[in-house]
Structure formats: C-alpha cells, structure tokens
Amino acid sequence: MKEKTIKSENVFSGKLLHLYVDEVELENGHKAIREVIRHCEASAVLAIDDQERVLIEKQFRYPYGEDTLEIPAGKADPKEDPMETAKRELAEETGYAATSWLHLGDIYPSCAYTDEVIHIYLAQGLKPGTRHLDEGESLDYRFIKMTDLKTMVKDGLIKDGKTLAALAFYQAKLQ
Amino acid sequence: MKEKTIKSENVFSGKLLHLYVDEVELENGHKAIREVIRHCEASAVLAIDDQERVLIEKQFRYPYGEDTLEIPAGKADPKEDPMETAKRELAEETGYAATSWLHLGDIYPSCAYTDEVIHIYLAQGLKPGTRHLDEGESLDYRFIKMTDLKTMVKDGLIKDGKTLAALAFYQAKLQ
C-alpha cells in the first residue's frame, strides 16, 4: 500500500453515501488528508436487441437538475452477485430479460474520491416483460440504433460516464 | 425541474468534497431524500503523439488502494476555463504542451450522487517540457500505442471511467 491509513473518521453515513476523512502517510513520510465516499457496488447493462438497437433510459438526475440518457443500472443488494444485480435492474427498470449475458468490464467512475465499482454487462436476446420501478423512481426508455447512438456521442448528447465506458468496452471487445 | 428542493443541509465541507442532504418533492407529490456531493469541475486530456501513442499515467488511488491507469486530469482552479485546466494539468503532471486542442465532450462520472463535470480534450502536436507535480502527488506516465490501449481495455486493464469515456468520444468523433 503506497498510502498508509493513520486515522479514519466516518463523518457522515446516509442512506446512499458514507463519507470518511482519512489521514494517510505517503511514501515520502509526509501526511495528507483523503476525503473518500464509500459506496456499495453497482451494475449496468448494455442491452442490444436483434436489430442492433441499444436500450437507453432517460432519467432525471437531481445533482445536475436535468435528464440524462443512460444505460440501465442500479446498486447491488447486500451480497448480491454483480450479474444478478444487472439482471434484476434491467427487469425492474425496463421489464426486459435476456438470454445472453457477457461481462464487458468494470469501471471506477470517480477514482479520486469514491470507491464505487460499476460492473458492466452486455445483454442480448432480449425478451419483453413487466417492469417494477423502485419507490420514487421515474424513468422512460427507448431503443436507439447503435449507429445513431454513436452520432449522439459525437454530438455530446451522451454524458453519462458508465454509458460511454460501456460503448468503449463494446467496441474493444466485439467490433 | 422535476424534483423541487424543499430543504438543503450542508452536512460536510472539506478540502475536496461538499456533501448535502436535500429533501425534494417529486412530480407525484411524494417526498424523497437526495444525498449529493457538490464538487468543482475538472478537465482531462487524451494526449496522442505523432506515432498514435496515448499518454497514460499510473497513479495510486487511495479509495481503491491500488494503482490505476488514466489519462491526465485535474480539478479546475476557481473561475478557470476548462481548456486552460486541461493545458495546465497536462503540463504540471507530464511536462507536455500541445499545439492542437479539440474539445471531445463532457462527462458526468457518477450522476446519481455527484454534480461533477469532467471536460475532456484531445491534445495533439505534443512538445516535451518540465513537469511540476502538486504537493503529495506521485505518478508515472508512459506512451501506449492506441492499438495496445484498446487491447488493454478489452482485457480489463483500464477501469478509469473518464479514460474509457475519452476513448468512446475519440472513436465516435475521429475514427
């Protein structure tokens, strides 16, 4: 470990976020403060149908005060396997199940100050069903052709980090 | 605004992070709590040399307790233009300047709970110089061929969200 934890103080614990202020000793012997969000794991799903269309959600994001376009995603339940989280969130948010699942990769969304890991999966062979949104969750979804989605990325319409990362994984692994 | 702020409490203000617990009213009249990190803006740089090699840093990230491979990036100084932040961080962390700059796009790294925006730029026409790391900052960098970097993405060696997003922007805009 290049930075040794000397002291760790849990300054906030909420429903979603747990904030710690840690004092660390660096390799050169100097001391520094690290403010860290401890967050549960999450999974996200790049769901592509038989016509090469990607399932994209439009969701209001309070921190930005605007709607964002994102792939389906959500937090893991305690001790839940990341692929199960992906399957559950896809079904809850859109109703879809999938016959084919592939792990695309894991991302560190904001590595300077959170320990969150988002596991990203490719889902194909989509089958519609009934969705079950969480209390207070409101979102729409639609299918966007992969070629159109890439144009939207080019035009700056896709800002969500995990969605852009999923596309980078997909292009590296499957194209 | 789809969620109306009823109450906002600043529960923590540190050197880097500012945490708020807000009470909001949803469109259906129900109330909900939103835990939000307010963070300054940041810029990141996809720096590519004349041999199609990408400048990649290896940096210890305390939240994960490990080294990550990332493009150069850093926080904006107060009122600093995002492109100036990009130029300053590239120079400070690697010593390089660039003759050509292009805005690739902006990302929302963790849109559920932070308002951080990372502005991503493409830098070409690289010229070496002397770097000036921040106090307590320790990082190495090297140039990696774009084709090798894509193999590393495929193999799961690149986990940093902004780096993957930068590659998605680059592929959508320039390839």
Side-chain angles (χ1 to χ4, degrees):
Chain A
M1 183 72 86
K2 289 187 181 170
E3 297 184 0
K4 190 180 156 193
T5 308
I6 296 168
K7 204 171 78 177
S8 180
E9 188 188 356
N10 178 206
V11 296
F12 176 79
S13 261
K15 198 178 162 195
L16 175 67
L17 304 178
H18 304 271
L19 177 58
Y20 290 78
V21 177
D22 290 5
E23 188 180 352
V24 302
E25 187 176 306
L26 309 178
E27 282 185 300
N28 62 9
H30 291 185
K31 291 185 179 145
I33 296 295
R34 298 284 178 248
E35 299 166 5
V36 183
I37 297 291
R38 303 286 177 193
H39 188 280
C40 63
E41 298 203 342
S43 293
V45 185
L46 184 68
I48 304 182
D49 74 3
D50 296 344
Q51 300 165 66
E52 276 286 302
R53 299 183 312 164
V54 183
L55 204 169
I56 294 288
E57 296 177 349
K58 188 168 85 167
Q59 187 167 7
F60 181 79
R61 291 301 195 173
Y62 181 75
Y64 297 98
E66 65 184 61
D67 288 324
T68 58
L69 298 172
E70 304 172 32
I71 58 174
K75 297 184 295 290
D77 286 338
K79 297 186 183 174
E80 188 177 38
D81 177 81
M83 192 184 280
E84 292 308 312
T85 306
K87 291 179 179 178
R88 181 178 54 70
E89 289 289 344
L90 181 65
E92 284 177 5
E93 295 185 352
T94 72
Y96 278 89
T99 55
S100 160
W101 288 87
L102 176 71
H103 179 228
L104 287 176
D106 299 332
I107 71 163
Y108 295 170
S110 307
C111 59
Y113 61 88
T114 166
D115 69 352
E116 185 182 9
V117 177
I118 306 177
H119 306 275
I120 300 183
Y121 293 88
L122 175 66
Q124 289 174 303
L126 303 182
K127 309 281 176 198
T130 308
R131 65 182 186 159
H132 304 280
L133 293 177
D134 285 344
E135 170 72 22
E137 196 169 35
S138 164
L139 56 86
D140 299 320
Y141 68 86
R142 60 184 163 136
F143 283 92
I144 298 175
K145 279 185 189 166
M146 182 61 91
T147 48
D148 292 340
L149 188 58
K150 287 181 185 170
T151 303
M152 292 167 74
V153 170
K154 186 180 162 186
D155 293 344
L157 299 176
I158 309 293
K159 293 183 170 179
D160 174 53
K162 66 181 174 295
T163 301
L164 293 161
L167 292 173
F169 282 137
Y170 182 73
Q171 288 173 339
K173 270 199 195 276
L174 289 114
Q175 289 191 317
Chain B
M1 183 72 86
K2 290 187 182 170
E3 297 183 0
K4 191 180 156 193
T5 308
I6 297 168
K7 205 170 78 178
S8 180
E9 189 187 356
N10 179 207
V11 296
F12 175 79
S13 262
K15 197 178 163 196
L16 175 66
L17 304 179
H18 304 271
L19 177 58
Y20 290 78
V21 177
D22 290 5
E23 188 180 353
V24 301
E25 187 176 306
L26 309 178
E27 283 185 300
N28 63 8
H30 291 185
K31 290 185 179 143
I33 296 296
R34 298 284 178 250
E35 298 166 5
V36 182
I37 297 291
R38 303 287 177 193
H39 188 280
C40 64
E41 298 203 343
S43 293
V45 185
L46 183 68
I48 304 181
D49 74 3
D50 295 343
Q51 299 166 65
E52 276 286 301
R53 298 183 312 165
V54 183
L55 204 168
I56 294 288
E57 297 178 349
K58 188 168 86 169
Q59 188 166 6
F60 181 79
R61 290 303 195 171
Y62 181 74
Y64 297 98
E66 65 185 61
D67 288 323
T68 59
L69 299 172
E70 305 171 31
I71 57 175
K75 297 184 295 290
D77 285 339
K79 297 188 183 172
E80 187 178 37
D81 177 80
M83 192 184 280
E84 291 309 312
T85 306
K87 290 179 179 177
R88 180 177 54 70
E89 289 288 345
L90 181 66
E92 284 178 5
E93 295 185 351
T94 72
Y96 277 89
T99 56
S100 160
W101 288 86
L102 176 71
H103 179 229
L104 287 177
D106 299 332
I107 71 163
Y108 295 170
S110 307
C111 58
Y113 60 88
T114 167
D115 70 350
E116 185 182 9
V117 177
I118 305 176
H119 306 275
I120 301 183
Y121 293 88
L122 174 67
Q124 289 175 302
L126 303 181
K127 309 282 176 198
T130 309
R131 66 182 185 158
H132 305 279
L133 293 177
D134 285 345
E135 170 71 22
E137 196 170 35
S138 163
L139 56 86
D140 299 320
Y141 69 87
R142 59 182 162 139
F143 283 92
I144 298 176
K145 279 185 191 168
M146 182 61 90
T147 49
D148 292 340
L149 188 59
K150 286 181 186 169
T151 303
M152 293 168 73
V153 169
K154 187 180 162 185
D155 293 343
L157 299 176
I158 308 294
K159 293 183 170 179
D160 174 53
K162 66 183 173 296
T163 301
L164 293 161
L167 291 173
F169 282 138
Y170 181 72
Q171 288 174 339
K173 270 197 195 279
L174 289 114
Q175 289 192 318

